[in-house]
Amino acid sequence: MNRTHTNGELRLCDAGKEVTLIGWVAKRRNFGSLVFIDLRDRTGITQLVFDEQLSEQIRDVRNEYILEATGCVMERKDKNPKLKTGEIEIQVRAVTIINRAETTPIIVADETDALEDTRLKYRYLDLRRPVMQQKLMLRHRITHSMREYLDSKEFIEIETPMLGRSTPEGARDYLVPSRVHPGSFYALPQSPQLYKQLLMVSGFERYYQFARCFRDEDLRADRQTDFTQVDLETSFLSDVEIQTMMEEMLQKLMKDVKGMDISIPFPRLTWTEAMNRYGSDKPDNRFGMELQEITELFENCGFKVFADCIANKGSIKAVVVPGKAGMTRKEIDKITELAKKNGAKGLVTLKYKDEELSGPIVKFLAEEEIQALVTRLSLKNEDLVLIVSDAWRTTCEVLGALRNHFGAELGLKKSDEFSYLWVTDFPMFEYSEEDGRWYAMHHPFTRPRDEDMQYIDSDPGKVHAIAYDVVLNGYELGGGSLRIYDGAMQDKMFEVLGFTEEKIQENFGWFVDALKYGTPPHGGLAFGLDRIAMILSESESIRDVIAFPKNANAKCPMSDAPTQVDSAQLEELHIAITEM
């Protein structure tokens, strides 16, 4: 094969050149004595022109055949401005059919009518579609840009084990049975967290890895069972220094991949501020509609729901949705169901039309309360007001979900707009009423703020972590923290989490021992590579930027994995399958 150029390469300045192209047939058009074929490869499409002399050789050629064509570059009479090569065509003088193709079960083009499971079953054909190839090539440019930056900052790329041990406090592990140690199991890594901290103990100071990670959890549009993290760890840097470095990397990334200049430093919100303003710890700040606190307006309210909420030290908040006062009863019922799905007991809706507030609860409100509400919310004609009263966090999360719903419905989330921010000062612990114990909000190795250590025994809920998430367009792009580097603080952390000495040694002894040998102050962060690629390629699902993903049921329609295995394999692993 003597290919001289790719199918996206030739331009008008190449007219007159003798060239040889190779690619797949994307389209064939017959015009009597002339046949036109669009030849496709990953770089683009070039139009081939065949005259009567070659018509017999290409008589049976159809879509997805692979051809080698040699001919002269000519200027097109009917130029196609949609193609990079749209000003030229190739007058073919010799053609070879390299391989034939059966009729494909999906349309191999940007637009296809195949259902997602069909696309995944024939993923190798789906990936021929130019739009899909562009997404994966964009993913490559992302990784290239990040590597360039990290290498320039003297980070060292180091691989950590895929087969480790199972540890508690995270998502469900994928377990791998050991043949040589009957009854024992490895666990696939949910992240390289402990290993990368040990690399700091080892003195490498700056590490990174494009790490494969595994979590046995329910899937959704932005989550897969196996995924890729851009994993980072540093020694002797503060949290702000780490964040500043990551901002520089993302600034370079946006320029390299999207050709966009973004400003740094990114806005910073504390976790409490993010929840209060946006109802989410991964707020989408591309649009307004912020939550507004209105509890103090109803301290002497005659509406029992509000009065009970205040008596129980809860929170009353509102979101104003512009232009939606005309919603029907049926539409309001759907929004109410969405609120309940996110934890609300109910939803108060008010409509502001012709300078008058209306709604089911207005009759319970005093005139001064109505006017105070109109003033506080700066209501305009046709505004819809959504109010939730509940425990503070429930109120925030419910209205945050409603805000996101209307942000999408009103077209306020522009896929070609990219807005970064940091969320900092996360709570160190979350309390589980069901289990009657505290859990680490991030992980047990996150360093608490020194000034909050006075509350570690008396009120762990007041302790904040030196933890930080970088958020893009309402998605958590990456998260990290400074780590605990002294044994006494780590012991106190385990104590608050209810770990016995036996449990500590069983699960983390091999790691805790390392803290005894001069552990440096360190911290890091991990980015979700698949999620970055999904957002920057403006895709709706993370599956579009992974070459061979699982479907929503955690199954691969192409290979049919997971499958049952031969009984002999199970016997080797000392495993027996029992019916449930």
Side-chain angles (χ1 to χ4, degrees):
M1 298 179 192
N2 302 299
R3 178 163 67 174
T4 61
H5 298 78
T6 63
N7 293 322
E9 184 178 350
L10 296 169
R11 299 293 186 269
L12 191 56
C13 60
D14 296 303
K17 287 182 180 179
E18 184 85 356
V19 299
T20 298
L21 306 180
I22 297 176
W24 285 264
V25 174
K27 185 187 292 184
R28 173 186 175 131
R29 302 180 301 283
N30 290 340
F31 291 94
S33 60
L34 294 178
V35 176
F36 294 87
I37 286 179
D38 288 346
L39 200 67
R40 183 193 70 240
D41 63 19
R42 73 177 190 180
T43 66
I45 288 175
T46 296
Q47 179 171 280
L48 309 181
V49 184
F50 297 83
D51 60 22
E52 290 178 322
Q53 292 180 331
L54 295 172
S55 59
E56 185 60 28
Q57 286 182 251
I58 61 169
R59 179 168 55 86
D60 297 326
V61 168
R62 59 189 177 196
N63 286 5
E64 303 313 312
Y65 272 44
I66 302 177
L67 303 182
E68 180 184 284
T70 298
C72 185
V73 181
M74 309 288 288
E75 182 176 1
R76 281 179 67 162
K77 293 180 181 178
D78 55 336
K79 295 179 175 59
N80 185 347
K82 294 181 180 179
L83 291 179
K84 294 178 181 178
T85 61
E87 291 187 308
I88 60 97
E89 61 190 10
I90 310 301
Q91 184 68 48
V92 180
R93 65 169 180 80
V95 62
T96 301
I97 298 173
I98 293 176
N99 211 342
R100 290 165 168 77
E102 296 181 4
T103 301
T104 58
I106 68 172
I107 298 171
V108 182
D110 282 351
E111 297 294 329
T112 184
D113 58 358
L115 298 176
E116 185 179 61
D117 263 18
T118 304
R119 289 175 53 206
L120 294 179
K121 181 176 177 62
Y122 299 98
R123 187 62 163 181
Y124 43 87
L125 296 177
D126 190 47
L127 290 178
R128 277 192 204 167
R129 297 166 57 219
V131 66
M132 294 299 294
Q133 293 189 341
Q134 288 160 15
K135 290 177 190 292
L136 290 187
M137 288 190 284
L138 178 140
R139 180 186 172 115
H140 164 72
R141 294 199 302 274
I142 291 170
T143 61
H144 180 72
S145 176
M146 293 176 119
R147 276 196 167 95
E148 275 191 331
Y149 177 83
L150 294 169
D151 290 346
S152 75
K153 295 297 180 180
E154 300 183 339
F155 280 77
I156 301 170
E157 187 168 7
I158 305 175
E159 294 178 347
T160 55
M162 297 293 280
L163 296 175
R165 67 168 296 148
S166 182
T167 56
E169 301 293 303
R172 193 180 294 110
D173 285 326
Y174 277 104
L175 300 177
V176 180
S178 169
R179 178 184 59 81
V180 296
H181 300 285
S184 295
F185 294 81
Y186 300 104
L188 298 179
Q190 294 187 33
S191 80
Q193 182 62 47
L194 300 185
Y195 289 110
K196 69 178 179 180
Q197 290 190 244
L198 291 175
L199 287 171
M200 297 303 100
V201 177
S202 303
F204 284 97
E205 293 195 24
R206 295 188 180 187
Y207 137 96
Y208 80 95
Q209 177 183 191
F210 285 76
R212 297 294 291 157
C213 303
F214 306 84
R215 293 179 187 172
D216 186 4
E217 56 189 358
D218 294 336
L219 304 192
R220 58 192 185 203
D222 66 340
R223 181 180 289 170
Q224 279 278 296
T225 55
D226 45 339
F227 56 97
T228 305
Q229 281 185 185
V230 186
D231 202 52
L232 308 149
E233 198 76 7
T234 69
S235 295
F236 310 120
L237 293 181
S238 70
D239 53 336
V240 174
E241 287 173 315
I242 294 170
Q243 291 164 25
T244 299
M245 192 176 288
M246 295 302 98
E247 288 173 342
E248 291 175 354
M249 184 177 74
L250 291 170
Q251 185 182 51
K252 177 183 184 301
L253 171 66
M254 294 300 291
K255 185 66 173 177
D256 291 347
V257 175
K258 301 294 288 185
M260 296 176 63
D261 294 307
I262 62 171
S263 298
I264 58 174
F266 300 157
R268 282 169 166 77
L269 297 174
T270 66
W271 180 84
T272 301
E273 186 180 4
M275 295 297 291
N276 269 323
R277 291 175 57 185
Y278 298 100
S280 172
D281 58 7
K282 41 184 180 293
D284 189 340
N285 64 341
R286 285 174 293 176
F287 63 101
M289 286 175 55
E290 293 187 17
L291 282 58
Q292 300 188 58
E293 181 68 47
I294 57 174
T295 306
E296 73 275 16
L297 301 184
F298 301 104
E299 289 180 346
N300 300 304
C301 185
F303 182 47
K304 188 175 186 302
V305 173
F306 287 178
D308 289 347
C309 176
I310 293 172
N312 292 321
K313 298 183 178 179
S315 173
I316 308 173
K317 290 181 180 290
V319 162
V320 178
V321 186
K324 299 298 285 186
M327 289 183 69
T328 65
R329 180 72 259 170
K330 186 176 181 180
E331 291 172 323
I332 293 292
D333 288 343
K334 286 184 178 179
I335 296 303
T336 302
E337 284 305 310
L338 178 60
K340 290 179 178 179
K341 183 179 178 180
N342 282 276
K345 299 179 183 70
L347 177 69
V348 171
T349 59
L350 299 171
K351 299 178 179 182
Y352 190 67
K353 292 184 175 183
D354 301 324
E355 298 186 354
E356 184 176 344
L357 198 65
S358 63
I361 74 159
V362 169
K363 60 186 175 184
F364 299 106
L365 304 181
E367 185 59 33
E368 57 268 25
E369 290 172 329
I370 294 173
Q371 291 307 313
L373 185 64
V374 171
T375 301
R376 170 66 63 84
L377 302 181
S378 301
L379 293 183
K380 298 179 177 59
N381 196 39
E382 295 297 322
D383 280 348
L384 174 70
V385 182
L386 308 175
I387 300 176
V388 173
S389 58
D390 212 310
W392 173 79
R393 187 161 179 176
T394 300
T395 297
C396 292
E397 290 176 346
V398 172
L399 284 178
L402 296 179
R403 174 184 179 270
N404 274 326
H405 169 83
F406 279 105
E409 185 175 292
L410 296 173
L412 303 177
K413 298 183 176 187
K414 307 295 185 184
S415 64
D416 58 352
E417 181 181 350
F418 303 97
S419 184
Y420 289 88
L421 60 87
W422 288 101
V423 177
T424 65
D425 294 315
F426 283 80
M428 188 76 199
F429 305 102
E430 293 179 294
Y431 189 76
S432 169
E433 294 287 349
E434 183 179 347
D435 297 339
R437 54 161 289 199
W438 292 97
Y439 285 90
M441 180 173 272
H442 282 76
H443 52 68
F445 314 105
T446 302
R447 186 172 183 83
R449 292 208 171 276
D450 291 340
E451 60 268 29
D452 291 347
M453 285 300 290
Q454 59 183 308
Y455 305 114
I456 194 75
D457 292 313
S458 60
D459 191 354
K462 288 186 177 181
V463 180
H464 292 83
I466 310 178
Y468 36 84
D469 284 357
V470 60
V471 177
L472 173 60
N473 293 1
Y475 289 96
E476 177 194 331
L477 213 60
S481 67
L482 296 190
R483 323 301 189 188
I484 296 170
Y485 61 91
D486 57 278
M489 182 178 285
Q490 189 64 71
D491 287 344
K492 174 56 71 174
M493 180 64 59
F494 284 138
E495 179 187 324
V496 174
L497 295 172
F499 282 38
T500 63
E501 186 62 33
E502 181 181 16
K503 188 176 181 182
I504 294 170
Q505 287 302 316
E506 178 186 349
N507 292 298
F508 304 111
W510 58 285
F511 172 77
V512 174
D513 284 347
L515 300 181
K516 301 174 184 177
Y517 300 105
T519 301
H522 60 285
L525 183 129
F527 289 96
L529 176 62
D530 312 296
R531 197 169 289 173
I532 295 174
M534 179 186 77
I535 298 170
L536 296 192
S537 66
E538 301 177 37
S539 302
E540 294 183 0
S541 169
I542 203 170
R543 293 187 282 276
D544 281 349
V545 295
I546 297 173
F548 299 102
K550 310 296 186 294
N551 64 14
N553 293 320
K555 195 171 182 68
C556 174
M558 184 180 66
S559 67
D560 208 31
T563 62
Q564 295 182 354
V565 298
D566 189 274
S567 59
Q569 291 177 276
L570 294 177
E571 288 175 11
E572 275 190 321
L573 297 169
H574 308 278
I575 291 176
I577 305 296
T578 58
E579 296 292 333
M580 298 296 290

